[in-house]
Amino acid sequence: MSLYDYNNATIAEIIILGGMGFCAFSILAFCSMIVWCRRYGEGYSWFSGRRRSQSSIVRAQSQSVIRGEHPIAFVLPTVSLSEAGSETDQTHSDLESLGYQSSRPGSPYSSLASLTGSNIYSSSLLSASYSSSTSPSPNSPRSVPLRIPVRGSVPRFSSLPKAVMEDGIAENPGSLGRVGLRITYRKSKAELQVKILRAESIPTNYKTQTANISIKVSLLPSKLPKYITAIVEDSLNPEFNEDFSFLIAKEEITGKVIKLTLMDHDRSQKKVIGFAVLSLESSGMTVGDLELSVREVWLSVKESVEEELTNLLADRLELSLRYDPEPGRLTLGILVSKIYSVSIQDKESDIYVKVTLFEGTRVIKAKKTRLLACNDILEFHEKFSILLPGTYLDSVSCVVSLCSRSRFGGKSVMGRTCVGPFAFASGQGLDHWLEMSRTQGEDIVKWHTMI
């Protein structure tokens, strides 16, 4: 019988039954493969578990030590747990002697999080108190745990006191030392001379137990050259006695800052220990009209001086405040501005001042001064006044913004200051307002830092 002898209905039934049989066979084969894989996988993991049971326990203990759950997880085979001591005893654990964080309050060591921070010269690390109780006694029954090295967990510089110092004087814990310098200005030569005298109590390099120090000298803000002293090796109290000269006019000294950077040289590496800054204006170099001015100062070395530099290099604005009680008039004067933050490339921009009067958080009035071409010193001498009853002096404030506009029309705020009562202002702005309130009818003139 050939295929042509079957009708269409019979052929369709044969195809359907064959397809169903093929699907059933495929499903059965797939299920069998899954069961076989599971049995093979369980057997392999059971077999490997028997082979590596001991190593897995050790690995779990190692992880628990890193988490700090078991302070004494690694014990020498010859020491029993009873000999190792109790976790609740008053002495510090052996992990603390290696720099790990203590779980008890009052531990003199910083946490691992602070030890592994980005700044390895943190003064908080250097200020850690040091006691003989932090290291295990030779007769202590405690075993020494396995040391787990952590990158960056040991501070590069440490001020832990040593038995004998270079000059027989103990260091001050937590101090990064200090630097002495002499500043000389000769008016006829327009020359500022900076002499680095010496440094004292510099932190110790933990690798070499000493320090190889050099100091970088720079004058900000300016494009004048920067200088670096010679390296004084193996000394925590190095003496330099090196002179550096900057050619600068007397009227340009105002606003200039001397920045010192202390560096330690270890082989081919150069690491920053700390910084020190000095404002020439605050040092008294701008006072008087002497031919020769000399000052000697000691500067404390700090871990960071960014905030201090921001305040020293900020622009200044001279403001006047006056309140006349008879007509009830408040007058704010924009007098002179000293620009320090604008670079030479941006001198083509224009500078103006915007004054905004607030009642609480509501804007009452806003005014702008005229545009002046950018320069180191700008003289506005403009005043803004408004009729204001005396009862409103405690509810209003003035926000003064120093702004710049580029030649392409872009505007930016260079700094702000706020003058007003205690509820809205603080610092220099509050002091200026209070003095105006006490001496009504007079112009009170003060310089403000634009931040």
Side-chain angles (χ1 to χ4, degrees):
M1 180 178 291
S2 63
L3 184 63
Y4 296 102
D5 296 334
Y6 294 97
N7 56 20
N8 293 337
T10 305
I11 293 174
E13 291 177 358
I14 292 174
I15 293 174
I16 292 173
L17 291 175
M20 295 176 60
F22 178 76
C23 292
F25 177 76
S26 300
I27 293 173
L28 181 61
F30 183 72
C31 294
S32 301
M33 184 179 298
I34 292 177
V35 173
W36 180 79
C37 291
R38 286 188 176 180
R39 288 182 179 179
Y40 179 78
E42 289 176 359
Y44 179 77
S45 61
W46 172 78
F47 177 72
S48 62
R50 292 183 61 184
R51 286 178 57 191
R52 296 196 300 261
S53 59
Q54 294 182 355
S55 62
S56 62
I57 294 175
V58 174
R59 189 160 52 250
Q61 288 182 348
S62 173
Q63 294 173 357
S64 66
V65 169
I66 296 176
R67 291 194 303 268
E69 297 173 358
H70 306 287
I72 310 178
F74 285 93
V75 182
L76 293 178
T78 57
V79 181
S80 64
L81 291 177
S82 61
E83 294 174 343
S86 172
E87 291 183 4
T88 59
D89 98 29
Q90 299 300 319
T91 60
H92 299 290
S93 68
D94 294 328
L95 286 178
E96 292 177 352
S97 68
L98 295 178
Y100 289 92
Q101 182 182 8
S102 172
S103 59
R104 293 184 294 274
S107 173
Y109 286 94
S110 302
S111 65
L112 280 176
S114 64
L115 289 176
T116 57
S118 59
N119 192 341
I120 60 175
Y121 309 101
S122 174
S123 58
S124 63
L125 295 177
L126 300 179
S127 61
S129 60
Y130 185 82
S131 174
S132 60
S133 61
T134 60
S135 58
S137 172
N139 300 325
S140 173
R142 291 181 181 268
S143 61
V144 179
L146 178 65
R147 188 179 181 110
I148 303 176
V150 179
R151 181 176 178 84
S153 62
V154 182
R156 180 170 177 79
F157 287 93
S158 172
S159 61
L160 299 179
K162 298 183 296 183
V164 179
M165 297 298 298
E166 184 177 25
D167 53 1
I169 302 175
E171 292 187 26
N172 180 20
S175 173
L176 290 176
R178 61 176 188 165
V179 180
L181 67 156
R182 178 186 300 150
I183 308 172
T184 305
Y185 185 77
R186 292 178 174 86
K187 183 179 178 182
S188 59
K189 297 182 179 180
E191 180 187 22
L192 177 68
Q193 188 180 55
V194 179
K195 183 173 185 178
I196 307 298
L197 301 177
R198 59 173 298 175
E200 292 183 353
S201 303
I202 301 300
T204 307
N205 186 321
Y206 82 99
K207 288 184 178 179
T208 61
Q209 293 303 310
T210 183
N212 305 317
I213 305 299
S214 70
I215 299 179
K216 179 180 178 181
V217 185
S218 55
L219 186 64
L220 304 177
S222 69
K223 297 294 183 178
L224 296 175
K226 301 175 177 62
Y227 302 98
I228 301 179
T229 65
I231 301 174
V232 179
E233 298 182 348
D234 300 329
S235 177
L236 303 181
N237 301 289
E239 293 190 5
F240 299 96
N241 294 318
E242 296 190 36
D243 296 302
F244 307 103
S245 296
F246 301 93
L247 297 179
I248 181 173
K250 182 68 176 282
E251 55 271 13
E252 297 178 1
I253 291 181
T254 303
K256 293 295 188 290
V257 176
I258 296 176
K259 180 182 178 181
L260 305 180
T261 305
L262 273 74
M263 296 174 290
D264 175 73
H265 299 259
D266 181 12
R267 296 180 181 177
S268 60
Q269 296 182 347
K270 183 169 59 176
K271 301 295 183 180
V272 175
I273 300 176
F275 307 90
V277 293
L278 172 66
S279 171
L280 294 179
E281 188 174 1
S282 63
S283 65
M285 299 301 294
T286 59
V287 178
D289 195 20
L290 301 176
E291 170 61 27
L292 182 65
S293 301
V294 181
R295 298 287 187 277
E296 286 191 3
V297 293
W298 283 94
L299 303 178
S300 298
V301 181
K302 302 176 182 178
E303 177 186 346
S304 175
V305 292
E306 292 300 325
E307 183 177 355
E308 188 174 357
L309 273 180
T310 301
N311 293 329
L312 291 176
L313 299 178
D315 301 319
R316 306 288 196 274
L317 184 63
E318 189 179 31
L319 301 178
S320 68
L321 279 178
R322 179 190 179 101
Y323 184 75
D324 297 310
E326 186 58 32
R329 182 183 299 275
L330 176 66
T331 304
L332 173 65
I334 310 297
L335 304 181
V336 181
S337 177
K338 295 181 179 180
I339 307 298
Y340 303 131
S341 61
V342 179
S343 61
I344 299 177
Q345 293 79 7
D346 298 332
K347 290 289 186 178
E348 296 180 359
S349 59
D350 296 326
I351 307 297
Y352 66 95
V353 178
K354 180 180 179 180
V355 180
T356 308
L357 180 65
F358 287 87
E359 181 187 5
T361 57
R362 183 172 65 92
V363 177
I364 299 177
K365 201 172 185 180
K367 290 288 185 179
K368 297 179 182 179
T369 65
R370 68 186 187 278
L371 291 172
L372 294 180
C374 184
N375 205 343
D376 293 338
I377 299 179
L378 301 176
E379 296 185 1
F380 293 95
H381 297 290
E382 296 186 29
K383 292 188 177 182
F384 305 94
S385 61
I386 186 173
L387 293 176
L388 188 73
T391 55
Y392 282 85
L393 287 179
D394 293 334
S395 58
V396 297
S397 60
C398 294
V399 175
V400 183
S401 304
L402 185 65
C403 308
S404 66
R405 190 181 72 175
S406 66
R407 57 183 177 178
F408 302 107
K411 298 179 180 179
S412 63
V413 178
M414 302 168 59
R416 289 189 178 94
T417 187
C418 178
V419 289
F422 178 77
F424 309 103
S426 61
Q428 56 187 5
L430 176 61
D431 296 339
H432 200 173
W433 189 269
L434 293 177
E435 189 172 349
M436 177 205 69
S437 302
R438 290 192 298 265
T439 57
Q440 297 182 359
E442 298 181 9
D443 287 322
I444 309 299
V445 180
K446 285 184 178 296
W447 283 96
H448 290 254
T449 302
M450 309 301 289
I451 302 176

